[in-house]
Amino acid sequence: MTTFWFIVIAFLWTGYFVLEGFDFGVGALLPLLSRSEADRRQVLGTIGPVWDGNEVWLITAIGAMFAAFPAWYSGLLSGFYLPVFLVVTGLIVRGVGLEWRGKVHSRREVALCDAGIVAGSVLPAFLWGAIFGNLLFGTALATVLGGALSLSVAVLHGAVFVALKTTGAVRARARRAALLAAVGAVPVALSTLPSVPGRGPLWTLGTALLAAAALAAGVTLVWGRREGWAFTATATAITATTATVFGVLSAAPLPGLTLAEAASAPYTLTLLTWIGLIALPGVLAYQAWTYWVFRKRLTAQVS
Amino acid sequence: MDALDLARWQFGVTTVYHFLFVPLTIGLGVYVAGLQTAWLRTGREHYLRLTKFFGKLFLINFAMGVVTGIVQEFQFGMNWSDYSTFVGDVFGAPLALEALLAFFLESTFLGLWIFGWDRLPKRVHLACLWAAVIGSNLSAYFILAANAWMKHPVGYEVVDGRARMTDLWAVLTNSTALAQVPHVVAASFVVAGGFVIAVIGYRVLRERGLGVLPGRPARTITAEDATTPMRRLPDMWRTALRAALVMTAIAGAVVAGTGDLSGQLLREQQPMKLAAAEGLRHDTAGAPFSIAPGVEVPGLLSLLAAHDPAATVQGVDDIQARYEKAFGPADYTPNLPVVFWSFRVMINFGMATVGLSVLGLWLTRKRRGRRGGQRAGQYGGSGEPLPAWFARLCVLALPLPTAAIIAGWLLSEIGRQPWTVQGELMTAASVSPGVSLGEVAITLAVFTVLYGVLALAEGALLLRHVKAGPELPAPATVPPGAVPPARAEETRLTPTLMY
């Protein structure tokens, strides 16, 4: 039961990184992909209906950690106090920026919202990688590289998403941005991923290799303008990376803490399992439906 | 001053702040969904205008509720790690359920509602808003069930220094939760109703060229005024106002009823909070209630808490002595003045709001058989003006219930001190041992400043949209290119991310 819940939490984090990963990328790329207000609206329109739902993956992952592994939850959040605080601050300014952007009037206020969106996307995208890098290796170098990896992959993932969801000049710019992001993401990934499985189970070597391969495939597909497949590839790369990280963490989610010590009692875990099994398919179904409703590419608005 | 004090301040500041926005989200969501339902059923244009107008205000506020809620979920682990480790098995479950069952519903379907106006069939689009609103209300249930467990822990046992859940059903049907959930949710409807009343009061004053404060002598409303279209209470505002008044009055009755229930549960479960709320020092039969310091009604507290004017209510000092015997020497008394005054602000401001709504219902009632012969100074039926003094009173319906619900929260949580989990875990033993004073100081300072700035921004944004008023009827009848210049500017900046 403990292992099962660890997998559930890894799954929730994976969902979070895959979904909010492109939100972060889109937010970070906002100034680079747009030349005008219409462009900016087109770029943000790609994530407008879905970003809040994506963020709930984080809230659920954290909530599930609290319920299933209280000691892990409290140890992680209090142990990484300031980085987590900065993540939360980033999410605040980003959320407010996204929600208020369409409701403010002057250009200056819109620019302020945009600044919040960019800062609030870059900061968490970097910090989550830094936190997990530090958790795995405990060194300053790993922290910086972890952050660089998560930020660059998020930017790549976001650029591919914009290319997939738009038409016209923005789409062309997003493709170029994706290729540029790949120049950063691929070397960082190749230098970091192979070292992650070091202390983990053997299969993490496989997922690390898969992540690297998927990333390379993604770049190739962007080059070949196959955006749908490229997005699948970057999503696979993020999934495989998260799986690798949690695979290594399964032995000790925090230094000096085992899963068994951190876990809640079997009663709680069993009940949560049943509720989760009933509710999660519904959540996945209606989130998928959202993406179906907003499946069309966004064209530039003539205003 | 140590890390514990600052962590408590941080929790207080961030939670009270979060609680400024959430009740409004809970109640206003239902109100807007009701307006849109009315539009779909009647097809009347003004329901659509109202839906969009209040929908926009709802969304501005919703954003703040969401982002400040993120802080809450992280804060337990960041500042209160010993608490989290102790209670996670029990307390974490409702939080996880809240995210899984309520937050996904709320955020996903709200995204569909905001962006789905042109993409979804009308009924499906409305159903999305209802789904989001149900999500908000469900989240209130789960978080309040978790909170109720802190005040009245049930369905658990303590093993190896950690609480272990033995009965989830007991946790979810905790008597404290069953009284507290409807109390807080209904209070949220009072807050939202008050917000709508205040907005309409402000609009009515504005549309008649009057200020919020009575700057000049009150004008007598003449028969002539009543026939001038600009002086009338437009049908649209009248409908919206009546709906909000009804909502506030009914919710107010629920708040009073469940508040009474909570009072009786306090006597059994948290006698110290009850004693502190009255400042009662010793166990007293026929305990009095002070309406103001020095003005006591004999037996009223006993009547409220036990439905028996002669019943005994325990006093602060005697409970302190009993707790020392049971739990060892410590200070078990919460901050008495804060709890005492919170209780009074909650009751008085809350009742004032409900009184205002009942008065409003009377003033805006339809007068049958008088259609031809309205006398000057009467403001009853459709098309008649609302008196300026009442429109000004309406504006108070925003601060009054907001102060009341915040005071209620302070009463509930400060009155629980020094416990985080009543009888099991004290606040001093809950804080994160590894987090330094400097770290908490930084986060407290940044959150306070950031929240202050955002509150001002939200206030300004809401006020601006209220001043702009509901948008003109849909441009179906307006030929393309004929948009007035002032509207064109707004249209250029708003659409994609708005509706």
Side-chain angles (χ1 to χ4, degrees), chain A residues 2-160:
Chain A
T2 309
T3 314
F4 174 75
W5 268 91
F6 184 76
I7 295 169
V8 169
I9 282 159
F11 172 74
L12 291 168
W13 277 98
T14 306
Y16 173 64
F17 285 137
V18 168
L19 294 172
E20 187 112 301
F22 68 73
D23 287 356
F24 284 149
V26 173
L29 287 169
L30 177 64
L32 302 176
L33 296 182
S34 346
R35 301 277 181 277
S36 66
E37 176 60 23
D39 286 358
R40 279 189 283 275
R41 267 194 257 145
Q42 196 186 355
V43 170
L44 290 177
T46 60
I47 58 167
V50 294
W51 72 268
D52 195 10
N54 293 345
E55 203 163 275
V56 178
W57 282 84
L58 172 68
I59 307 298
T60 310
I62 296 286
M65 280 171 79
F66 196 173
F69 300 100
W72 185 20
Y73 161 84
S74 57
L76 183 72
L77 296 187
S78 62
F80 289 93
Y81 190 82
L82 289 178
V84 168
F85 155 73
L86 288 175
V87 167
V88 172
T89 312
L91 294 180
I92 291 175
V93 293
R94 177 170 174 275
V96 171
L98 282 165
E99 291 274 359
W100 284 359
R101 192 182 193 283
K103 296 175 192 69
V104 296
H105 287 278
S106 72
R107 279 176 199 287
R108 207 174 57 89
E109 289 166 346
V110 172
L112 212 57
C113 285
D114 287 348
I117 294 170
V118 174
S121 299
V122 172
L123 208 58
F126 178 84
L127 285 167
W128 281 128
I131 288 170
F132 280 101
N134 187 286
L135 199 55
L136 289 173
F137 296 97
T139 63
L141 181 66
T143 312
V144 174
L145 282 177
L149 178 65
S150 63
L151 178 60
S152 59
V153 172
V155 169
L156 170 63
H157 194 43
V160 173

Side-chain angles (χ1 to χ4, degrees), chain B residues 13-177:
Chain B
V13 168
T14 53
T15 308
V16 165
Y17 189 78
H18 179 57
F19 206 57
L20 283 174
F21 307 104
V22 173
L24 189 53
T25 296
I26 288 173
L28 198 56
V30 173
Y31 183 77
V32 173
L35 288 173
Q36 196 179 341
T37 308
W39 174 59
L40 208 66
R41 294 187 64 125
T42 64
R44 289 174 67 184
E45 182 77 40
H46 73 220
Y47 281 122
L48 179 62
R49 290 180 73 195
L50 285 169
T51 304
K52 294 217 171 187
F53 177 65
F54 284 109
K56 201 182 276 187
L57 301 178
F58 167 70
L59 289 177
I60 293 170
N61 178 70
F62 181 84
M64 289 298 290
V66 168
V67 298
T68 55
I70 301 173
V71 176
Q72 296 311 106
E73 208 196 22
F74 280 77
Q75 186 160 217
F76 292 115
M78 291 170 70
N79 283 336
W80 304 98
S81 66
D82 279 4
Y83 166 81
S84 303
T85 308
F86 177 80
V87 302
D89 197 313
V90 190
F91 187 86
L95 257 65
L97 294 181
E98 182 187 26
L100 185 65
L101 302 176
F103 288 155
F104 269 127
L105 201 65
E106 182 183 40
S107 56
T108 308
F109 282 101
L110 198 68
L112 278 159
W113 184 72
I114 298 171
F115 289 85
W117 281 91
D118 305 323
R119 264 170 244 208
L120 295 169
K122 277 182 187 168
R123 280 168 192 283
V124 177
H125 181 247
L126 174 62
C128 286
L129 180 56
W130 277 112
V133 165
I134 289 168
S136 301
N137 281 271
L138 259 183
S139 79
Y141 167 72
F142 284 116
I143 194 64
L144 289 170
N147 173 265
W149 189 82
M150 298 167 73
K151 299 164 185 165
H152 180 229
V154 290
Y156 76 106
E157 58 187 2
V158 175
V159 182
D160 300 334
R162 280 164 65 175
R164 296 283 184 189
M165 185 152 62
T166 55
D167 188 352
L168 176 67
W169 186 247
V171 173
L172 293 179
T173 58
N174 188 346
S175 56
T176 316

Side-chain angles (χ1 to χ4, degrees), chain B residues 226-252:
Chain B
T227 55
T228 312
M230 283 311 290
R231 304 254 181 268
R232 290 182 176 180
L233 178 61
D235 268 358
M236 181 176 76
W237 290 134
R238 183 171 187 282
T239 314
L241 180 61
R242 295 272 305 176
L245 291 167
V246 169
M247 178 165 109
T248 309
I250 294 176

Side-chain angles (χ1 to χ4, degrees), chain B residues 438-449:
Chain B
E439 286 174 315
V440 192
I442 291 171
T443 56
L444 173 61
V446 172
F447 280 138
T448 307
V449 172

